[in-house]
Amino acid sequence: MKSKCFLLLLAFLTALTVSAQEVVYEEYDLDNGLHVILHQDNTAPVVTTSVMYHVGGKDRTEGRTGFAHFFEHLLFEGTKNIKKGKWFEIVSSNGGQNNANTSQDRTYYYEVFPSNNLELGLWMESERMLHPVIDQTGVDTQQEVVKEEKRLSYDNRPYGQLLPVLGKSLFKVHPYKDPNIGYMEDLDAATLEDVIAYNKKYYVPNNAVLVVAGDIDVAKTKKMVSDYFSTIPRGEDIERNFPKETPITEEVKVTAYDANIQIPAVGVAYRIPGFKERDAYILDMVSTYLSDGKSSKLYKKIVDEQKQGLQVGAINIGQEDYGMYLVYALPVGQTSLDVLVTEMEEEISKVRSELISENDYQKLQNKFENNYVNSNSSIEGIANSLARYYMLYGDTELINKDIEIYRSITREEIKAVAQKYLNPNQRVIIDYLPKEKIDN
């Protein structure tokens, strides 16, 4: 009885915490198509200004891969009113920090400043959108920067090629088949005219969302937003019509090699729906159930109890059009990769054929509640979530109701979705081996 009362109290307190942290925001459009989201939080004298562009690795033509990631770097080069190489100096000298990142689906730039420098942040992002200086010198410089990043993060990093191999294995016609960073020969072949045309097409107000979050006065912020962004010309409407993939109906086997590893790895991969679909939310729960923490099914069995694997995991890699679901393991000693595949499939098959226990289900719910609370615990996190939910999901209010989707998922749905997507005839098995084995 005491235990039951404690669980009820815990659930009540969690509900209070979640309801108390509702994110209040205001959103509107400028005449040029720029979507603006404002979130006021005066608890600390800081402000985040961010712009998310709906352009990522998948937005390219054959022979011109990697442009969005390249632009992540290029648009820090300088503008009409910000001298070359001065961007980061301006930010740091005014007490701020900034960064950017690119996925297959979007590019995100942001600055965090003391709130008295809000106008500076808005001016800099408007400069990036309206007045970037794109010349051959900047293109040449950033080509070398991207090449070095590719060497460090992919070519010379242990298991650095696993994600590109995964994309190439799961996709044959959709642009997700190519790595977000692109192929260096494509960047080398790109002309200055190619780069300028890409900027004109994608880095325009009607393909962007501006988020201002933190210690702001809403009325004053609206005026500054209008002053700096309303005169930027609207771009052409962007149409996307990517080719559809044929469903995988027979098991596929792939072998890849990596000169930077001594211990092989094996991956069991599935193509799944894009992250907006309810089934993708459910698959998030499946991956958490299988491999999140030392008490998870795969870790406890393969690493802890049977000592067959050094590491094991299940990951739902969410993307806009299609997701990638990967279950992977690294063997211990002489354990074969085939044995690991068999053991991983045994746990996946249980999810397909049996309802998970009520206790495991409640643990999942608690983890997702905790993740939700943490995601909205900082101004930077809130700014990112507001931009992402608007731009990629088409529903800004998901920042407050996303958790309701996870709460509504049932044990029966978990079983049904595993049955729908995680079958042996729908999988790609990737043997990821040390390079030297290619000569044996």
Side-chain angles (χ1 to χ4, degrees), residues 249-262:
T249 57
E250 295 182 357
E251 179 184 276
V252 177
K253 291 192 174 182
V254 173
T255 303
Y257 300 91
D258 188 334
N260 303 303
I261 64 173
Q262 295 181 325

Side-chain angles (χ1 to χ4, degrees), residues 288 292-293 362-372:
T288 300
D292 185 24
Q362 191 55 55
K363 283 167 60 179
L364 279 177
Q365 289 290 346
N366 293 342
K367 284 185 178 182
F368 279 90
E369 292 275 5
N370 185 59
N371 292 342
Y372 170 71

Side-chain angles (χ1 to χ4, degrees), residues 27 29 35 37 209 386-396:
E27 58 184 332
D29 291 317
H35 193 73
I37 305 175
V209 54
L386 287 168
R388 178 167 49 88
Y389 284 129
Y390 167 77
M391 181 63 75
L392 299 178
Y393 290 76
D395 185 1
T396 314

Side-chain angles (χ1 to χ4, degrees), residues 272 280-293 296-298 312-317 324-327 351 364 367-368 414 422:
I272 61 172
Y281 284 81
I282 297 170
L283 287 162
D284 280 342
M285 282 197 150
V286 175
S287 60
T288 300
Y289 171 77
L290 287 174
S291 73
D292 185 24
S296 62
K297 302 306 175 183
L298 287 173
V312 66
I315 312 171
N316 180 3
I317 303 171
M324 302 187 293
Y325 198 91
L326 176 66
V327 187
V351 184
L364 279 177
K367 284 185 178 182
F368 279 90
I414 291 172
L422 305 182

